[in-house]
Amino acid sequence: MEECLHTASKNINIFSSLLQQENLQSPRLMDAEITNSDVAPFSDKLMVFHAGFLFHLATTYYAAAMITSMRIDVAGHCDASILRDLKTISSFGRIMIKKGWIEKLPRADDRKELS
């Protein structure tokens, strides 16, 4: 999960610096919402699933931003962020298989066997 935090922080820093260069404010982070509680409000399985989902969602947003952006520097940063996120996304499947939450990655049904 350290890799995930590093990837997310790097992406946030890159896009925040682009906004600051244009004298625009970057959105506030939700860091103030984090508590020092050591009791997990949700299961590890749910948290890993949601974190993986959010990384998948981020790649979709980066792709949309890359397509619609008129600035080549933004498109380049989006492309690099997608590649970083794709490297990180693969770790979520490995974690879930290792913990026994899924047996193997989902595959398409064999149509010949079904008929």
Side-chain angles (χ1 to χ4, degrees):
M1 294 307 275
E2 287 293 320
E3 176 188 357
C4 301
L5 291 173
H6 175 72
T7 302
S9 294
K10 187 169 186 172
N11 291 343
I12 289 169
N13 291 336
I14 288 171
F15 290 106
S16 293
S17 69
L18 283 176
L19 290 172
Q20 289 172 356
Q21 288 172 3
E22 299 295 327
N23 294 322
L24 298 170
Q25 274 191 330
S26 58
R28 282 183 356 150
L29 297 177
M30 300 293 286
D31 291 346
E33 304 297 323
I34 298 172
T35 66
N36 58 359
S37 173
D38 59 354
V39 177
F42 303 106
S43 70
D44 289 344
K45 182 178 181 179
L46 181 67
M47 295 301 291
V48 168
F49 177 79
H50 279 283
F53 170 75
L54 291 173
F55 267 92
H56 280 281
L57 188 63
T59 58
T60 304
Y61 288 150
Y62 292 140
M66 185 170 60
I67 292 168
T68 59
S69 177
M70 301 283 273
R71 290 179 48 173
I72 193 70
D73 61 334
V74 172
H77 288 304
C78 289
D79 186 39
S81 295
I82 288 171
L83 292 175
R84 275 191 298 275
D85 283 358
L86 288 175
K87 289 179 185 175
T88 304
I89 286 170
S90 65
S91 66
F92 289 103
R94 287 193 304 269
I95 289 170
M96 294 186 87
I97 290 171
K98 180 179 166 187
K99 297 281 188 179
W101 296 331
I102 56 175
E103 293 179 13
K104 60 182 178 180
L105 295 177
R107 298 179 188 209
D109 293 332
D110 185 4
R111 298 291 177 199
K112 291 180 184 176
E113 183 181 313
L114 293 175
S115 58

